[in-house]
Amino acid sequence: MPTDLLADYERHLRLERGRSEHTVRGYLADARSALDFALARGHDRPESIDLADLRSWLAASADSGAARASLARRSAAARAFFGWAHRVGHLEVDPSTRLAAPKRQRTLPHVLRAEDVRRMLDGPTDTQPEGPDADLAGATGPGADPVALAVGLRDHAIVEILYATAMRVGEIV
């Protein structure tokens, strides 16, 4: 039955949900892994799998070194699979309704050192000629590329705004 169940689920993902090849492969692998784990623990059919089995499966995955993001994906795949199997009548009860994904580890962004920020804000741009006697007037003189000047001014303004306002890149775009 698990093979037929997985084949039906694969058809559902491909034809009804229109999922990508990568998503189908990942969800099927996770569903197969959960079923194999439970069947190896003595369950003779998928209907006998319960929440404790799914939690044990995730714990075993964590013990084998799976990252939090992988555990979250496996949890989501198990909820999708068992939820589908329950909705279409393959299972009387959905054992995954209370299966929680582990919280993804959030890391803080890297912070620039003060001298890096100063160098970034004060450093030469495409609008400024380099050299000890250079000034902005030299960038606008004869032979200067007006497009490069405009792009350089725009980029410098963007950096200034990002730094001054703590705006996100997506917000300024």
Side-chain angles (χ1 to χ4, degrees):
M1 165 113 171
T3 305
D4 295 339
L5 189 62
L6 289 172
D8 287 349
Y9 186 55
E10 180 177 5
R11 276 190 295 281
H12 165 73
L13 290 173
R14 287 184 195 282
L15 303 176
E16 296 172 31
R17 302 291 296 187
R19 298 296 184 218
S20 72
E21 181 64 33
H22 181 73
T23 299
V24 170
R25 188 173 44 251
Y27 270 46
L28 284 175
D30 290 335
R32 182 175 291 112
S33 173
L35 288 172
D36 289 346
F37 180 84
L39 295 175
R41 293 185 70 193
H43 294 279
D44 56 345
R45 57 197 206 300
E47 296 84 15
S48 63
I49 297 172
D50 61 11
L51 179 61
D53 295 317
L54 295 177
R55 286 179 176 163
S56 295
W57 168 64
L58 286 176
S61 295
D63 290 344
S64 69
R68 285 184 185 210
S70 297
L71 295 174
R73 190 208 67 236
R74 289 177 185 170
S75 176
R79 284 192 308 275
F81 171 71
F82 286 103
W84 166 83
H86 174 66
R87 279 191 311 279
V88 298
H90 287 293
L91 299 176
E92 287 185 31
V93 176
D94 178 2
S96 68
T97 54
R98 292 183 32 230
L99 183 64
K103 300 231 185 233
R104 293 183 87 166
Q105 187 172 9
R106 298 186 64 158
T107 57
L108 294 173
H110 297 286
V111 178
L112 294 174
R113 295 186 324 257
E115 64 259 15
D116 294 335
V117 172
R118 195 171 12 268
R119 197 174 46 225
M120 179 180 62
L121 295 175
D122 293 338
T125 66
D126 289 342
T127 64
Q128 297 172 337
E130 296 184 38
D133 298 326
D135 60 7
L136 190 55
T140 59
D145 181 7
V147 173
L149 176 64
V151 169
L153 287 171
R154 180 209 58 196
D155 292 348
H156 192 76
I158 287 172
V159 170
E160 289 275 352
I161 291 170
L162 288 171
Y163 180 70
T165 65
M167 193 181 284
R168 295 182 180 129
V169 172
E171 294 170 326
I172 201 163
V173 168

